[in-house]
Amino acid sequence: MPAFGVVNLQGRTRRQHSVGQLWAIGEGGAAFEHAHVSKIFERTGLVPGQAFIEIRGNGRRGQIPNVLLQENGTFAPNVLKYWSRAAVSIAGQPAFVGNLCPRSEASQPNCLTLEYRDDRVLLARLPIRGAWVWDAYADEAKFIPRYIARFNPFGYRNCIRAGKDLYLFADLAERGAGAGGVEAAEDEPAIGAVCAWTRERIVKYLRFAAHTVPDAYYTNYKKLDASKLLWPEGACSFGDLEMRKAAPDLTLAGKSMLLGLYLVLQGGGYGLAVRPEGPKSAKSVLFFPGRTPATAAAKIGLDLQVGGQATDFRTIFEFTLGGDATELATSVLLEGSTPKVETELSFTPYAGAPAPGEARLDDSIGSNSFVPAWSADEEEDFVRIIEGFLSATYATVAEDRNNIYGSRVEMDGMDGRPLILAHTSEAVRLAFQQHPNVLRHWRIVSDPGWGGFGTVETALAGVDDAFAAAPFLNTGRAPLPEQLQHYFESGGDERGLLRLPIRIQVDTNGTGTSFHEITANPGLRIRSDGIVELNLVEVIAGVPANDLVYAGTLLGDGNARLVTLRALKINLAFQHDTRVASNQELTDGGEDYNEIYDVIDESVMDGEGNIGLVEYIFAPENYREWHQVASKPGANTDWPKPSGEGTDAAPLTRVLHTESERLEAHAKGRLADVARIKGPSVSSLIGVQLGVRAGDFLTHINLRGAGEGGKHKVNRPVGSVEHDFNAQATKVYAGD
């Protein structure tokens, strides 16, 4: 067991020096003389509390090296060792338990100063490493260093309920629709179910990680010393709703347990602190005090005598009731990722053969939303290369590529020219080499001048016109490389062979009434400039005739000029130009977590959101929202609802995934932290008192002698308390 000492003090109301007694370290029990506790600092947050103990000589110069510094002397470092422990009590009440960290010896004035720090220092040296993952097959928790402690990555759910109060990482993250929202105690997921991490669940996970040792292979894994610091299981359950909402994407990998806990709790309106377990106990207890009026458990008031005689020694005799609103924010704007919309786009060519001299394949006008991305001139030269144009025997190319209607050269094998016959696969390859766009490159119509723009415009409005008021650019819009709803093609015995990320259908009878899903891999490529590449041409080996994007043939005796495009359908997703966002405002009677609305000038909060002091949070990879608008992501006629309850009929118009509640919860939690008056209010009380502790919440100061009901509202957490034994005073610091 670690070395341990106890200091017993008597609280006094007079300002006179108090002498403490430091009990012997170890089993001897003999008291050391000359021990004096000068100050104790209680704190919340990251900085540990401190106790300063002074041991002075009797005034003779020679005593310091003999008594304090001499090797094997009573207080020498190899006897009174670093990280040995001591406890302080005041009038029989426990005040401090901690570890000896710094120490200093001074010849003048013959003094050894010992600084003990509370058990937060243990959490500061305990790393968060790897991840505890639930192995559903082995039915056990395993420590996996390959995983990192990242909670709700990109909004995906990666928490699994492995026991009554046991929450671990799932081996695979899910991107289901249930990632956001309130998850109250009565709505806990079933054991074995994957769910979102809430702040409460993260705290429970960290407690598990701090107390559990993995298999013998990981002998370098360290756990919390429970013989010194107690982390009660009950402290990890919160009645506050904000702690039970899905947490933001949060990474704690590589951080200390102390910092990780602090970051999780701060966002939910809580702090952290430690207190002694009991009188003369070698242990301290970790707890999480609320930092807002709504979450605080221990609310207190103090008395300030402003007139007449003081009748209570607990009255404030000196004070600084200050505040600093420099860092105040009256609103929080949190922006996440851009919304994604999935819909079915289509192309229907003109009926009948084109007239001579007109574009044959460039049928991009009309109601089409997915159109060819090549010009009539490119198409004309493409056909001339294949047909030969001059003698119809050899493929031809233009002498000047900028003038396709000028002189042409036959590929007749003469004078170093290759021999390429017309209407052969070599001629078609030459045509594609000269014009890679023709028959291969397509684009989305997003220009209002084209008839097909309505499809894109409707899709960008979202479900129930959620984004209808959001402006967007009418320029080329690049689709995403895969649709939002997972696509698994169905082709009889070939089901699942293609592994396409999007659904593509081709007209099979030339009427636009019968479509089938392609069975050949189209070499699908989504380019950043918005071009969709589809290599569904007959010169590509293995492309069935029904999968071609055109009717007719470019080979043999066919007439390339009679080749016509087929109707196409493609299910695509693309990004909107706005971002999902939550804007939370400081309001009267509403979101005023720290009850400061009445002390803030209205000029910085007009209630309309256009004027204010803004805390802006930019999380571009998080807080997703996916909509389907008239989408047909597969051959199914009915699709399971994102909630898992019931089905939706195709075409699908629904919110496939949203994290709006998680987004709002994060913004509200941040508003609770930044919509506060900072800067400590310092109140000095007579005597060394334990009536006010770090972690309490100071609601007001009673003004004694100022008339009935005189009060000064504070509404700030007690961040630290200083017990000064030399001055026989207690200072209370309320605020950050």
Side-chain angles (χ1 to χ4, degrees):
M1 181 175 177
F4 173 71
V6 178
V7 176
N8 288 317
L9 302 170
Q10 294 295 325
R12 290 175 171 79
T13 59
R14 297 181 181 179
R15 296 191 179 191
Q16 71 179 54
H17 190 73
S18 295
V19 178
Q21 184 179 13
L22 180 63
W23 291 91
I25 298 174
E27 299 178 357
F32 290 121
E33 297 178 353
H34 315 302
H36 166 65
V37 179
S38 59
K39 286 185 179 181
I40 295 176
F41 290 91
E42 292 185 11
R43 294 189 179 94
T44 63
L46 294 173
V47 180
Q50 299 161 286
F52 292 89
I53 296 177
E54 297 176 353
I55 301 175
R56 297 175 180 269
N58 60 9
R60 296 194 300 270
R61 281 185 181 273
Q63 187 181 33
I64 289 295
N66 292 334
V67 176
L68 302 183
L69 301 182
Q70 185 176 7
E71 185 178 3
N72 298 322
T74 306
F75 301 109
N78 62 331
V79 177
L80 184 57
K81 297 183 178 182
Y82 291 101
W83 286 90
S84 60
R85 295 169 67 75
V88 177
S89 60
I90 301 174
Q93 297 298 314
F96 180 85
V97 175
N99 311 272
L100 176 58
C101 292
R103 57 177 287 163
S104 63
E105 293 86 356
S107 60
Q108 294 293 335
N110 291 354
C111 181
L112 167 65
T113 301
L114 307 175
E115 181 182 336
Y116 289 83
R117 296 184 178 178
D118 71 27
D119 287 326
R120 260 168 289 201
V121 293
L122 301 177
L123 293 173
R125 305 310 300 171
L126 188 64
I128 300 174
R129 51 176 294 220
W132 284 91
V133 182
W134 182 252
D135 189 333
Y137 293 96
D139 200 30
E140 64 177 316
K142 294 182 178 179
F143 175 67
I144 307 296
R146 179 169 66 91
Y147 283 58
I148 64 171
R150 183 175 179 183
F151 305 86
N152 297 334
F154 302 111
Y156 291 173
R157 301 174 295 174
N158 64 335
C159 173
I160 187 169
R161 189 183 183 201
K164 183 178 182 298
D165 272 321
L166 179 58
Y167 294 91
L168 304 174
F169 282 95
D171 57 343
L172 294 175
E174 294 185 1
R175 70 178 191 185
V182 178
E183 302 197 29
E186 60 271 17
D187 297 323
E188 290 288 356
I191 292 178
V194 175
C195 55
W197 285 103
T198 65
R199 295 183 186 274
E200 181 180 79
R201 291 170 186 168
I202 297 176
V203 172
K204 292 179 178 180
Y205 167 82
L206 293 178
R207 181 183 182 276
F208 176 86
H211 290 86
T212 308
V213 176
D215 293 337
Y217 180 83
Y218 296 106
T219 56
N220 56 6
Y221 192 96
K222 307 301 181 185
K223 68 174 183 176
L224 181 65
D225 188 350
S227 69
K228 297 178 180 178
L229 178 60
L230 300 177
W231 186 343
E233 184 177 359
C236 301
S237 296
F238 300 83
D240 179 44
L241 191 60
E242 297 303 318
M243 291 292 289
R244 295 186 172 184
K245 290 184 178 180
D249 182 345
L250 184 63
T251 301
L252 301 182
K255 294 180 172 58
S256 70
M257 188 66 68
L258 178 64
L259 179 57
L261 260 178
Y262 175 80
L263 294 174
V264 174
L265 293 164
Q266 184 188 40
Y270 288 82
L272 64 87
V274 296
R275 286 181 185 170
E277 179 191 26
K280 297 186 179 181
S281 174
K283 300 178 182 180
S284 58
V285 180
L286 180 67
F287 71 103
F288 310 124
R291 300 179 67 246
T292 67
T295 61
K299 298 181 181 180
I300 63 169
L302 296 176
D303 293 341
L304 172 63
Q305 198 74 27
V306 296
Q309 291 185 344
T311 58
D312 192 331
F313 78 96
R314 290 178 294 233
T315 301
I316 298 172
F317 69 86
E318 291 179 354
F319 65 90
T320 301
L321 302 179
D324 186 352
T326 305
E327 300 181 11
L328 168 74
T330 58
S331 67
V332 169
L333 175 59
L334 172 56
E335 284 193 316
S337 65
T338 55
K340 295 179 175 62
V341 182
E342 176 187 283
T343 191
E344 184 182 74
L345 305 179
S346 62
F347 168 76
T348 302
Y350 285 126
E358 294 184 353
R360 295 160 180 80
L361 303 178
D362 183 15
D363 296 313
S364 56
I365 302 176
S367 60
N368 294 317
S369 51
F370 187 70
V371 297
W374 61 84
S375 67
D377 284 349
E378 286 179 304
E379 176 191 317
E380 176 65 26
D381 194 43
F382 181 87
V383 172
R384 290 188 179 199
I385 291 173
I386 297 173
E387 292 191 338
F389 191 72
L390 296 176
S391 64
T393 302
Y394 304 106
T396 64
V397 296
E399 286 187 350
D400 181 2
R401 293 192 60 182
N402 295 320
N403 182 16
I404 65 171
Y405 299 102
S407 300
R408 305 187 70 81
V409 178
E410 289 187 323
M411 300 293 101
D412 54 9
M414 305 296 292
D415 298 329
R417 294 184 294 272
L419 176 62
I420 301 178
L421 299 178
H423 295 290
T424 62
S425 59
E426 289 81 5
V428 176
R429 289 190 178 93
L430 178 62
F432 278 125
Q433 181 181 5
Q434 297 289 313
H435 300 288
N437 289 352
V438 178
L439 293 177
R440 285 177 170 174
H441 292 183
W442 302 74
R443 65 180 178 85
I444 295 176
V445 174
S446 56
D447 183 350
W450 298 90
F453 171 73
T455 301
V456 176
E457 183 181 28
T458 300
L460 289 174
V463 177
D464 296 330
D465 290 334
F467 311 119
F472 59 87
L473 297 176
N474 293 319
T475 55
R477 186 165 300 278
L480 297 172
E482 60 183 273
Q483 63 185 37
L484 303 180
Q485 183 92 43
H486 177 70
Y487 172 61
F488 196 86
E489 72 279 359
S490 178
D493 294 338
E494 298 178 342
R495 175 180 173 86
L497 292 178
L498 302 183
R499 296 291 187 266
L500 292 179
I502 60 177
R503 186 188 187 205
I504 304 171
Q505 300 178 80
V506 178
D507 177 20
T508 57
N509 61 9
T511 65
T513 59
S514 178
F515 289 83
H516 86 113
E517 298 179 9
I518 62 172
T519 57
N521 194 313
L524 176 68
R525 181 185 173 201
I526 307 293
R527 296 192 341 196
S528 60
D529 59 0
I531 296 297
V532 179
E533 294 187 9
L534 298 175
N535 279 343
L536 292 175
V537 294
E538 60 187 320
V539 294
I540 305 297
V543 179
N546 281 342
D547 283 357
L548 298 177
V549 297
Y550 55 85
T553 179
L554 300 172
L555 304 176
D557 296 330
N559 188 343
R561 292 189 176 278
L562 297 181
V563 168
T564 58
L565 287 175
R566 285 176 168 169
L568 292 176
K569 291 183 180 180
I570 185 168
N571 214 65
L572 286 175
F574 38 85
Q575 292 179 315
H576 205 292
D577 292 332
T578 188
R579 289 188 179 275
V580 295
S582 177
N583 184 57
Q584 300 298 319
E585 301 277 347
L586 178 64
T587 57
D588 185 18
E591 308 299 349
D592 185 11
Y593 297 100
N594 299 295
E595 300 178 6
I596 61 169
Y597 182 86
D598 58 347
V599 298
I600 306 300
D601 191 83
E602 294 181 357
S603 64
V604 294
M605 44 183 184
D606 66 353
E608 300 297 328
N610 298 321
I611 296 176
L613 308 175
V614 181
E615 169 86 358
Y616 178 63
I617 304 172
F618 184 49
E621 301 298 330
N622 299 324
Y623 304 111
R624 300 161 298 145
E625 186 147 337
W626 298 349
H627 287 209
Q628 292 175 308
V629 178
S631 175
K632 297 178 182 178
N636 305 42
T637 56
D638 294 306
W639 290 82
K641 291 184 177 181
S643 64
E645 300 177 357
T647 59
D648 291 320
L652 302 174
T653 297
R654 62 185 184 177
V655 177
L656 183 63
H657 183 90
T658 181
E659 294 165 26
S660 57
E661 293 186 7
R662 192 169 69 94
L663 177 73
E664 181 179 335
H666 187 188
K668 285 184 176 181
R670 189 60 184 154
L671 182 64
D673 192 54
V674 299
R676 67 170 69 243
I677 305 297
K678 295 189 175 181
S681 291
V682 184
S683 305
S684 297
L685 305 177
I686 300 172
V688 178
Q689 303 184 33
L690 290 181
V692 183
R693 307 298 295 265
D696 292 346
F697 193 85
L698 183 59
T699 58
H700 65 279
I701 293 177
N702 297 310
L703 304 179
R704 299 297 185 189
E708 188 67 27
K711 288 185 178 181
H712 174 81
K713 185 168 68 173
V714 179
N715 273 342
R716 299 183 201 175
V718 177
S720 62
V721 177
E722 175 187 348
H723 301 294
D724 190 336
F725 293 85
N726 293 333
Q728 280 297 286
T730 298
K731 288 186 177 180
V732 179
Y733 297 83
D736 298 312

